Amino acid sequence: MAIRFKKRSGHSGLLYRLSLPIFLLIVTFIALFATAASYILIRVQNDHTLKMAEQSTKFVYRNMEYQLNTMNNVAAFLMSNQSIENLLMSTYQMPFEAVSDFYTLEANLQNLSLLSLLNDFGSGNVVQQSYVVSVALEPGSGLYAMATEHFSPITGIYKNNDLQNQKWFQSLNRGERQIVWWSQKSDADSAMIYSARKKTSLKDGRSVGMVIVGADTGSIRGIFDNARLDEGFHLLLDESDRVIYSERYNFLDDASELQYVRALADAKGSIITKIDGENHRVMFETLDNGWKLLAVVPESHFSRYTFAISAFGAATAAAALLIAGFWLRRIVVRVTVPITKLVTAIQRPEVVEFKEALPYLNTGIYEVDELNQKFASMLVTIHSLIEKSFTEEIERRQLQLELLHAQINPHFLYNTLDLINCRAIMTGDRETSQIVRSLANVFRYGLNRGQTWISLEEEMKQVEAYLHIQKMMMNDLHVDIQIPGDLLSATIVHLILQPLAENAIIHGFADRKSGCRIAISARLEREGLVLRVEDNGRGCDADKMNRMLRQPPVLDTNESNEAGSGYGTLNVHRRIQLHDGEGYGLRYVEVGEGTGTSVEVVMPYRPERPAVRKDAANV
């Protein structure tokens, strides 16, 4: 007997089976490592760029707060200084008596304006600026008569007549706010920011006038110059969303219609919006006076190093893959080529058919050489074992056939039964005659002249003969057979139904002597011919029986040990599968606990007996 190896086609050898998974594993590892490293570097770089932009915004914010607080401090000094309070609240008999105090107050204002706490912040093109400090007096002040008639946004003492219609003046007078901020251009066309407070007497609380402190916006340009953005621009807006300072917009431009300005709902935060068709990040904070400071930076600025880092990571990964692939190839070839040579030698017909020994391979690898020698020895051993087993199997089957022929001599059996039948008729024992004739039919159809296949009609005759004998042995056995006439010609494997009926009587009615019923029916379904044998005996566990049928057969076991059955249900099930395939056989149907047993035989529907279909071991 020859062992044949199936040769695989394509690149499915050991070399490819080893190298491909390992290479894919290396590729996956390198790709994940390169991706993770690039991602981390990109995130670190982008976060650093974002942090620098945020620090720039915070720097501007803190210094702007400082500048505005300085202006507030100047106003607070004027309002709380006792000397200035005395000058403002003094009364005079004649106007000329107030001249000395007027010039004293004006000198104090000039000195305050020259304090210039708004220092230059390092910008080379911004000169040091001074404040505009002025007082707009009401008639309640003794210096009112000496004050200048018309207000001008420069340091000085003025009457408040020109300011009565100003919104900020009216807001202070109504007490809606304690301090107001606004911006406007001066007479010299300079961009100015102002704050104003209402001055009241420290003694009796009478309103004396307004303290106004102003500063040129050039004084804050140094702050933005020292925190200049690499890309983007700053925007300082007043409460009406007019531009106070920006590298992009002009002084007092209306920014309220800008989409990203309208989107600023909170006091501080960051939003992403489109400006000129490109995504920008807008970082904003609100100053104490209600003004908003914005830093607008393109999103591309934060990811400007993404491409470079990604390209470097991809190049590094590609180089690592090339090096890993080269060394992997060398290692795998070193191991797999000798094994491939061994497999090629095994596939030679002369070696496979045991006509010659496996060639000796000296590969220099101990494991492969040892495998070659041991495999050669194993082939020789297998060859001898196969021949011995095959010879013993043929001899065993031959002895079994001879024993079966010796045990069953149909002619002798039938003649003996006919003799018994004739003697019973001659003595008038009709009942014994019927039993003998039924038994003869059972043997006749059961042996079936050594044929594997039998018609359903002949199978039913054998079952009826068997049940006829059982009805004589049992006092109360009822048999119900319902087989459609068009199915009687169907061909089935012989000796199928009788073992099932026998199993029902012996097991189902073991502890029952009356009211016994067996029903046999047949029907056609999509899966084929279905024969059913059911009884009203003590029943069985259908799931357990089905699991038993699904278990693989055990060789050299005596299946006849099932109580009450010479062949047994396992024998029936396996013979059907042997001839019709694994998809057919027996199946137990759940009918309820204690209500009997129902077992079905499923096999292909063959309307007519096959022309030549005999058992391999005809008796």
Side-chain angles (χ1 to χ4, degrees), residues 511-569:
D511 53 357
R512 186 170 186 170
K513 302 302 181 182
S514 62
C516 301
R517 185 182 64 83
I518 293 179
I520 302 176
S521 61
R523 67 183 187 277
L524 276 180
E525 292 187 355
R526 184 174 60 181
E527 54 190 340
L529 178 63
V530 179
L531 306 178
R532 171 178 284 195
V533 178
E534 54 185 341
D535 62 71
N536 63 342
R538 62 183 178 183
C540 67
D541 188 342
D543 291 337
K544 179 180 178 181
M545 297 300 293
N546 286 325
R547 286 196 300 271
M548 179 193 70
L549 295 175
R550 288 194 295 269
Q551 291 178 355
V554 180
L555 298 177
D556 297 328
T557 58
N558 184 11
E559 294 177 351
S560 64
N561 58 3
E562 296 181 54
S565 176
Y567 286 88
T569 55

Side-chain angles (χ1 to χ4, degrees), residues 1-7 346-350 352-355:
M1 182 179 181
I3 298 177
R4 299 194 177 274
F5 295 91
K6 187 177 179 182
K7 203 171 184 178
I346 294 172
Q347 291 176 339
R348 292 178 56 195
E350 295 81 2
V352 174
E353 295 175 2
F354 306 105
K355 294 180 180 179

Side-chain angles (χ1 to χ4, degrees), residues 367-431:
E367 289 80 2
V368 178
D369 292 342
E370 188 70 12
L371 177 64
N372 179 68
Q373 295 177 12
K374 296 300 181 183
F375 194 83
S377 301
M378 183 183 67
L379 284 178
V380 176
T381 304
I382 290 176
H383 184 211
S384 61
L385 289 175
I386 288 175
E387 289 183 347
K388 181 180 179 181
S389 176
F390 184 68
T391 302
E392 291 177 351
E393 179 66 18
I394 293 177
E395 183 178 1
R396 185 177 65 83
R397 288 182 178 272
Q398 185 64 32
L399 292 174
Q400 289 178 344
L401 287 175
E402 292 176 359
L403 179 61
L404 184 61
H405 279 292
Q407 289 177 337
I408 302 177
N409 190 326
H411 296 289
F412 173 76
L413 182 63
Y414 297 154
N415 291 336
T416 304
L417 292 174
D418 285 340
L419 177 60
I420 296 173
N421 183 36
C422 292
R423 291 291 181 91
I425 293 174
M426 291 175 62
T427 60
D429 191 351
R430 297 288 182 179
E431 185 176 357

Side-chain angles (χ1 to χ4, degrees), residues 90-349:
S90 297
T91 57
Y92 307 95
Q93 296 292 331
M94 299 299 292
F96 66 86
E97 295 177 355
V99 172
S100 176
D101 289 343
F102 179 84
Y103 284 111
T104 300
L105 178 59
E106 193 171 55
N108 287 330
L109 296 180
Q110 290 290 346
N111 291 334
L112 286 175
S113 66
L114 293 176
L115 284 176
S116 190
L117 296 179
L118 296 179
N119 296 318
D120 183 11
F121 284 85
S123 176
N125 57 356
V126 178
V127 297
Q128 198 172 37
Q129 300 291 327
S130 60
Y131 292 122
V132 172
V133 184
S134 56
V135 178
L137 298 178
E138 293 186 8
S141 172
L143 299 179
Y144 180 80
M146 296 291 297
T148 306
E149 290 289 336
H150 299 289
F151 179 82
S152 179
I154 60 175
T155 299
I157 304 171
Y158 304 93
K159 294 179 180 179
N160 64 2
N161 298 332
D162 291 345
L163 304 176
Q164 299 290 333
N165 296 325
Q166 296 291 332
K167 291 183 178 179
W168 60 266
F169 186 89
Q170 296 172 0
S171 177
L172 284 177
N173 264 342
R174 289 192 298 267
E176 296 174 357
R177 306 180 68 173
Q178 294 183 349
I179 182 171
V180 294
W181 295 85
W182 76 95
S183 57
Q184 67 183 57
K185 288 191 176 182
S186 66
D187 295 341
D189 206 27
S190 298
M192 301 289 293
I193 57 175
Y194 294 95
S195 69
R197 284 188 178 186
K198 189 174 183 180
K199 171 64 175 134
T200 58
S201 173
L202 298 177
K203 288 183 178 181
D204 52 20
R206 288 184 296 117
S207 177
V208 177
M210 303 287 181
V211 175
I212 303 171
V213 180
D216 194 297
T217 56
S219 61
I220 62 175
R221 187 177 296 114
I223 300 174
F224 291 93
D225 288 343
N226 281 278
R228 187 175 298 276
L229 298 170
D230 293 337
E231 292 188 35
F233 58 92
H234 288 102
L235 192 60
L236 180 62
L237 303 176
D238 64 11
E239 293 181 286
S240 300
D241 291 333
R242 291 184 303 171
V243 177
I244 304 299
Y245 179 84
S246 176
E247 299 94 334
R248 180 168 180 169
Y249 301 100
N250 295 322
F251 181 66
L252 295 182
D253 281 351
D254 187 6
S256 60
E257 296 301 319
L258 297 176
Q259 181 180 359
Y260 60 90
V261 174
R262 294 201 304 269
L264 305 181
D266 299 326
K268 62 182 298 185
S270 176
I271 63 172
I272 306 296
T273 185
K274 278 190 176 295
I275 301 176
D276 299 333
E278 181 182 359
N279 282 337
H280 283 67
R281 182 183 296 270
V282 180
M283 296 168 285
F284 61 94
E285 290 196 50
T286 303
L287 299 171
D288 290 342
N289 66 345
W291 292 1
K292 285 188 175 66
L293 175 64
L294 287 71
V296 184
V297 183
E299 277 290 290
S300 58
H301 176 66
F302 301 115
S303 58
R304 55 182 173 172
Y305 296 107
T306 300
F307 177 77
I309 295 175
S310 300
F312 179 76
T316 304
L321 286 176
L322 289 176
I323 296 173
F326 173 75
W327 285 106
L328 173 65
R329 177 81 178 180
R330 292 197 61 179
I331 294 172
V332 173
V333 167
R334 175 68 175 168
V335 174
T336 59
V337 167
I339 299 178
T340 304
K341 290 181 179 179
L342 176 61
V343 173
T344 303
I346 294 172
Q347 291 176 339
R348 292 178 56 195

